Amino acid sequence: QVDEPVAFDYYTFSYRGFKPNTGHLPSEGNIKGDSEHIFEYVKGLYPGQRPLLFSHSLGTGPTTALLSKFGEDEEGGPACVGLAMPYSSMHQTINELGFYTPLILMPVIDGWNSNKRIRKMNENVPLVILSAGQDELIAPHHQKKQFEAANSNTKKLFYSEDADHNDLRTPITLNLLEHLEFMDSCIARV
């Protein structure tokens, strides 16, 4: 039970090759490297504390890569993870949307097999997955598969039939706030 207000600092970044950043054409390797670098940087700002990770849509791929990297290293990894509208794999998502993938873009989307990676996460790290019934980009079955694949002893799947892909405030987040015992388990691990 959290008896006092808890303050959080919020960090976000843009991947190389995505606006406003310039540089190399984004690839899975570059994005993973950037994510690891930022994660380690933020951990260094708060010695003795562990970050909570929250990502949405495309960002859930790098987050699951971080989870698989830390695996059994509970102390080095995140305290808690939230994934909003994650995908099983980028190839599957693109195929379901009916897009043709030009050969020039293949290095950008070379897999992101999130379900494979989330199986390697530390089982003691709490995980919440948000799913939206009206999501036209990433169908809800992706979140269900990710939830089933996740190697977490404390995991929750929050589904809202009325929410869409970019609906992070209501009604999904309000549903999450109703489950404060889950949030308490996250905050206790920071």
Side-chain angles (χ1 to χ4, degrees):
Q1 178 73 21
V2 178
D3 296 324
E4 301 176 17
V6 178
F8 291 94
D9 292 330
Y10 177 78
Y11 294 87
T12 185
F13 69 100
S14 298
Y15 303 112
R16 276 186 281 173
F18 288 89
K19 289 186 178 182
N21 286 338
T22 59
H24 303 24
L25 182 66
S27 70
E28 186 169 336
N30 287 345
I31 292 171
K32 279 174 43 182
D34 291 348
S35 299
E36 290 173 13
H37 177 78
I38 295 296
F39 183 78
E40 293 299 331
Y41 172 78
V42 171
K43 275 185 15 183
L45 295 175
Y46 304 92
Q49 295 182 346
R50 295 171 39 220
L52 295 117
L53 293 179
F54 183 83
S55 58
H56 175 249
S57 191
L58 181 62
T60 63
T63 301
T64 59
L66 277 172
L67 290 174
S68 69
K69 176 184 187 247
F70 290 106
E72 294 303 314
D73 181 15
E74 186 174 348
E75 294 304 313
C80 186
V81 178
L83 303 175
M85 288 52 113
Y87 49 89
S88 302
S89 77
M90 187 58 72
H91 285 300
Q92 182 180 356
T93 303
I94 288 171
N95 288 337
E96 288 175 5
L97 291 172
F99 290 128
Y100 167 73
T101 308
L103 291 177
I104 194 167
L105 290 179
M106 289 309 287
V108 178
I109 50 174
D110 49 0
W112 286 117
N113 189 335
S114 298
N115 282 359
K116 179 180 176 184
R117 291 187 171 123
I118 205 162
R119 286 183 181 101
K120 298 178 184 176
M121 73 178 286
N122 187 291
E123 64 186 13
N124 296 317
V125 175
L127 171 72
V128 62
I129 295 177
L130 307 180
S131 181
Q134 302 303 310
D135 194 331
E136 295 180 2
L137 290 175
I138 304 173
H141 71 87
H142 285 268
Q143 291 90 55
K144 185 176 180 191
K145 287 181 183 177
Q146 193 118 109
F147 178 77
E148 291 168 354
N151 180 38
S152 173
N153 294 331
T154 309
K155 59 184 178 179
K156 299 279 185 187
L157 175 65
F158 293 105
Y159 175 79
S160 174
E161 181 60 42
D162 299 325
D164 66 28
H165 185 75
N166 291 312
D167 192 355
L168 293 178
R169 286 183 283 187
T170 58
I172 292 179
T173 311
L174 294 177
N175 187 2
L176 176 61
L177 293 176
E178 291 174 7
H179 295 81
L180 292 177
E181 74 280 354
F182 182 82
M183 296 308 295
D184 286 348
S185 69
C186 293
I187 293 167
R189 295 175 49 81
V190 172

